[in-house]
Amino acid sequence: MWRPCKPTLVLLPLVAVALVALASPGPVLAHAAEVHLETVRAVAVVARYDTGAPMAGAQITVYSPANPAEPWLRAQADAEGRLVFVPDAHVGRWSVQARHAGHGAVAHLMREEEDGTLAAGWQTAPASGPDPLQKGLMAASVIWGCIGTALYFRRRNT
Amino acid sequence: MTLPRSLSRLAWTSVLLALPAATLADTGTLTLFADGEELATEGFVAPKLTRDGWELRFDRILITLDQVTAHQTEPPYDADSGAAIDAQVSVPLVTEPVTVDLVNVDDSGRVTVATATAPAGFYNALSYDLRPGADGATMVLSGTARREGTEVAFTLSTDTALRHRCGEFVGDERKGFLTAGGETSLDITLHLDHLFGRADQPADDEMNQEALGFDRFSAGGTQRFSLDGLHVGHVGEGHCHVEAL
């Protein structure tokens, strides 16, 4: 097995604090302002080569489960190969691609629940396809449906 | 309960007729391309000389592909794992050795390797072999090298056989999404800079450290080399797990 100079991607679910400044909707007061603090779930992308060197300035492309064929976000990593983004509410697999100097890598994470629970890694995704039991039940249903059809015509002929 | 033979035949015929109809309705066209990027079609020209400063221009770059299969995997295949690809859908695209020339390409800079009707879905993994073809060579590169007034014609060949297991294509666009009645493509990309290195990249870059360079071939003529330890085969910019056959 050869593993020369491969880029690697690490996705880290984060809880970040967002600052939201809102103009007061109440009585007009000179210079009145409000600041709200909200916690949001963010994802930290760490793009580096397997030598440990950062993919400085790597092009980061994020794909949402809502439309995995088109970029949801294009951005540039910093000098350390890092980028933080806040995914929206779509549940499913989020994919992140990092490219730099002709090398690229893809990593995935699942947004598993609508409350924003995130899990990074390869194996967190529930299989979208039917499992063997489901496949067996589907096949049995098709066969039983055909047998039922045959019995129906047999009954009509007798 | 025993069904009369005629009714039993009717039941099974229904199954056999229903399945192909459903399959045809959910298929599209999957095309496999191969390319060697601009380094194949335009050569190693300044500032992208070989790591040891040679300009290379190629007359032909023949590669032989075999056992190329597109896969739909859930979860996505991780090429770093080196594990076998556990696919829900696998579509054979090349089942016997096919030799293509990466210099003689279409307007998109690629050469068409195969086209197949395939079930709709996301083809997010690809496996392929580079192995000797009928002429006994996995790869043949011929052309002209120049450096500081020296010019040599060369033909380089290797018979190293390698199996590649790759995840999804990495490039300007995300490829592999096939809809019913639609079409999509997958690419096998050979990175020639992993073979000759690049003068415009740092000398201590791992790719340059491992590349053969061209000095060893500077006598010109017909010479052989090995792909052992090199990582030339990719899917776009995405890496593959590589093992010797």
Side-chain angles (χ1 to χ4, degrees):
Chain A
M1 179 182 71
W2 305 316
R3 303 179 57 192
C5 196
K6 283 200 302 291
T8 59
L9 263 181
V10 178
L11 304 181
L12 303 172
L14 300 174
V15 176
V17 177
L19 296 175
V20 182
L22 299 174
S24 171
V28 177
L29 300 174
H31 307 296
E34 295 180 357
V35 174
H36 294 273
L37 301 181
E38 297 179 348
T39 60
V40 297
R41 292 189 179 272
V43 177
V45 181
V46 183
R48 60 187 175 220
Y49 293 101
D50 61 355
T51 59
M55 296 173 71
Q59 179 185 336
I60 307 295
T61 307
V62 180
Y63 297 91
S64 158
N67 184 2
E70 297 296 330
W72 178 82
L73 172 69
R74 287 186 191 273
Q76 190 172 21
D78 64 16
E80 300 300 317
R82 296 178 65 92
L83 176 80
V84 176
F85 72 93
V86 180
D88 64 24
H90 283 102
V91 173
R93 173 172 290 108
W94 288 75
S95 299
V96 179
Q97 182 186 89
R99 302 168 62 202
H100 182 256
H103 298 276
V106 182
H108 311 270
L109 59 80
M110 293 295 293
R111 191 177 195 117
E112 294 178 326
E113 300 171 14
E114 293 189 0
D115 67 359
T117 301
L118 293 174
W122 289 100
Q123 303 301 330
T124 56
S128 62
D131 59 26
L133 175 61
Q134 291 171 315
K135 290 178 181 176
L137 288 172
M138 290 164 62
S141 298
V142 171
I143 294 170
W144 179 244
C146 295
I147 292 173
T149 303
L151 290 173
Y152 171 77
F153 284 111
R154 179 191 184 197
R155 187 172 182 179
R156 287 189 59 182
N157 290 335
T158 55
Chain B
M1 179 181 67
T2 303
L3 284 174
R5 182 176 297 175
S6 60
L7 293 179
S8 176
R9 188 179 299 131
L10 171 62
W12 284 109
T13 301
S14 300
V15 172
L16 295 174
L17 288 177
L19 292 179
T23 300
L24 287 174
D26 296 331
T27 62
T29 302
L30 182 59
T31 301
L32 174 69
F33 293 97
D35 73 271
E37 305 177 300
E38 292 181 352
L39 292 176
T41 55
E42 299 179 11
F44 286 71
V45 295
K48 297 178 182 177
L49 302 173
T50 68
R51 72 168 190 194
D52 36 22
W54 288 88
E55 176 187 290
L56 304 181
R57 293 185 187 275
F58 300 101
D59 301 322
R60 59 175 183 158
I61 300 174
L62 303 179
I63 63 166
T64 300
L65 298 165
D66 195 6
Q67 303 305 312
V68 184
T69 304
H71 307 277
Q72 297 182 24
T73 71
E74 175 61 42
Y77 177 67
D78 178 7
D80 286 344
S81 74
I85 296 176
D86 182 15
Q88 287 71 52
V89 176
S90 293
V91 178
L93 299 172
V94 174
T95 56
E96 56 186 25
V98 173
T99 301
V100 296
D101 184 355
L102 301 182
V103 176
N104 185 19
V105 297
D106 63 17
D107 291 341
S108 70
R110 304 175 297 175
V111 57
T112 303
V113 179
T115 299
T117 299
F122 179 31
Y123 288 87
N124 56 355
L126 186 73
S127 57
Y128 62 93
D129 293 349
L130 282 172
R131 63 165 65 231
D135 62 354
T138 300
M139 182 185 301
V140 179
L141 306 99
S142 64
T144 304
R146 296 180 182 86
R147 186 178 68 180
E148 298 171 354
T150 300
E151 180 174 310
V152 295
F154 63 85
T155 298
L156 313 177
S157 68
T158 179
D159 61 1
T160 309
L162 301 172
R163 173 153 297 161
H164 297 71
R165 289 195 285 268
C166 320
E168 70 175 80
F169 174 90
V170 177
D172 289 334
E173 60 180 310
R174 203 176 189 197
K175 294 186 176 182
F177 291 94
L178 183 61
T179 56
E183 55 187 40
T184 192
S185 64
L186 296 172
D187 289 42
I188 291 172
T189 310
L190 267 64
H191 288 199
L192 298 180
D193 50 1
H194 285 252
L195 198 54
F196 297 111
R198 287 259 297 271
D200 62 336
Q201 299 294 322
D204 61 354
D205 184 284
E206 193 167 346
M207 178 266 293
N208 271 336
Q209 292 285 315
E210 295 178 347
L212 301 176
F214 192 79
D215 275 346
R216 69 176 65 195
F217 305 118
S218 60
T222 299
Q223 301 189 49
R224 300 185 70 81
F225 67 98
S226 171
L227 288 170
D228 287 344
L230 301 178
H231 195 267
V232 178
H234 290 68
V235 280
E237 297 172 6
H239 284 254
C240 305
H241 174 78
V242 182
E243 63 185 30
L245 291 174

